[in-house]
Amino acid sequence: MKLVALVVVLAAAGLACASSGPVKVGGMVVVRAADPMADDIRPEGAWVEVLSDDGRLLARTTTGRVGQCGLTLENAAPGDELYVRARLKVAGVGLTTGRRVGVDERGYAYVPDLSFVNLSDAELSWSGSSWRSEAGEVEIRAPAGSFAQVWARALDPEFDRAFFPGRYKDADGYRSLGFLFVAARGDSVQGMGPPVEPVTAFFVLPSTHRYYLRDARPGNGSYDVPMYFFDEDRGIWVQGTLGVLLDAERRPVPETEEARVTADLSGRYYVRFQATRLSLWDARGKLPPCPKK
């Protein structure tokens, strides 16, 4: 499948002092392949929208010949937080991503890369009972006939941070352990959105933040992992459900194994959860309390 991408480029001259004029917004949006050596793809005519912190649409435009876009806002000011959202449709499949950015004192809002997963790298195969990636990092279980195609990719919060939408930061005492992109084509959904019924998702957690992979609910017998989904309309992460930690054989990990799990940087672990929508899902680990001095 040939894909196109979207690039948002800010084209504006800088000011030496605080701005009292219009706000200028821009950045980069790209479709990135799994292979870091592969070329990014940049489209023309993709929608870019800027929303206020409370969700009001402030401006909308489309990308130019090489994916570039510049937006000027009369209804924003230095100190405001904006949500810059990009919408891309590939072969009828609608994808959305976005970033939250602040307007600096000069009246500029520089948007970090708004990155889309390249669907040609992420298509899963139907095994007769579930949709699976070739190397086994991702599995989506849904009733036969629910979808015609499924795309998913497990992402690392360090090496794949360009794909992390919203604003990457520790929130509510949690840190990203790994996140999952999932989209599908079917009667009820064409890309991202809620399926007819929740699907069961499995994806492998990288070892980069393994130290923070702690049981979220000690004492209930299972090793629980908080799961958040990205709300593309509001540009925020929303707590969705609790996942369960599994070992390399997809067996539940006892919560008594927490000390071993957090120290194990070589073992493979999965999280299993019920996905109530097709979107980006983030597994979060609780930050340990700071040691007392």
Side-chain angles (χ1 to χ4, degrees), residues 2-266:
K2 183 171 179 164
L3 298 178
V4 291
L6 153 71
V7 180
V8 181
V9 178
L10 174 63
L15 299 177
C17 56
S19 171
S20 59
V23 166
K24 298 188 181 295
V25 180
M28 268 273 184
V29 182
V30 295
V31 169
R32 298 184 185 276
D35 180 357
M37 302 303 293
D39 292 335
D40 296 332
I41 315 164
R42 312 185 172 192
E44 179 180 5
W47 283 104
V48 181
E49 301 167 325
V50 180
L51 293 86
S52 64
D53 187 37
D54 60 3
R56 290 177 296 111
L57 180 64
L58 303 179
R60 174 188 289 162
T61 189
T62 56
T63 52
R65 187 172 58 85
V66 292
Q68 79 280 10
C69 171
L71 287 160
T72 300
L73 308 179
E74 299 288 349
N75 44 4
D80 287 354
E81 181 167 272
L82 305 174
Y83 173 42
V84 182
R85 180 171 62 196
R87 297 186 185 275
L88 181 64
K89 185 166 281 191
V90 181
V93 177
L95 304 176
T96 304
T97 192
R99 294 276 195 166
R100 285 192 165 268
V101 296
V103 181
D104 69 17
E105 62 180 11
R106 300 184 304 160
Y108 294 147
Y110 297 101
V111 185
D113 285 359
L114 298 167
S115 300
F116 289 101
V117 168
N118 191 321
L119 295 188
S120 64
D121 295 331
E123 186 166 3
L124 306 187
S125 299
W126 176 249
S127 69
S129 59
S130 64
W131 298 87
R132 299 185 181 185
S133 62
E134 185 176 349
E137 301 98 336
V138 181
E139 180 182 357
I140 305 295
R141 291 182 183 172
S146 297
F147 307 118
Q149 287 177 288
V150 176
W151 299 269
R153 184 171 158 194
L155 299 161
D156 189 302
E158 289 295 331
F159 298 107
D160 298 314
R161 192 173 295 187
F163 294 104
F164 199 91
R167 188 186 289 277
Y168 184 89
K169 62 179 180 180
D170 297 334
D172 303 324
Y174 287 87
R175 174 164 292 175
S176 175
L177 300 167
F179 57 113
L180 173 72
F181 162 81
V182 58
R185 185 206 307 277
D187 291 339
S188 66
V189 61
Q190 298 293 327
M192 295 175 166
V196 171
E197 57 185 85
V199 301
T200 303
F202 301 74
F203 73 102
V204 71
L205 296 175
S207 62
T208 47
H209 288 176
R210 183 68 52 79
Y211 175 71
Y212 304 101
L213 181 50
R214 299 172 185 273
D215 181 25
R217 293 196 308 179
N220 70 343
S222 63
Y223 204 125
D224 298 307
V225 181
M227 299 299 304
Y228 287 68
F229 68 86
F230 185 65
D231 184 328
E232 295 90 3
D233 291 331
R234 295 185 292 165
I236 60 174
W237 288 93
V238 179
Q239 186 167 8
T241 185
L242 283 174
V244 175
L245 187 69
L246 308 176
D247 64 16
E249 304 300 321
R250 306 284 187 89
R251 297 170 301 199
V253 176
E255 61 181 357
T256 54
E257 295 290 298
E258 182 180 275
R260 182 181 64 80
V261 168
T262 56
D264 182 8
L265 299 183
S266 60

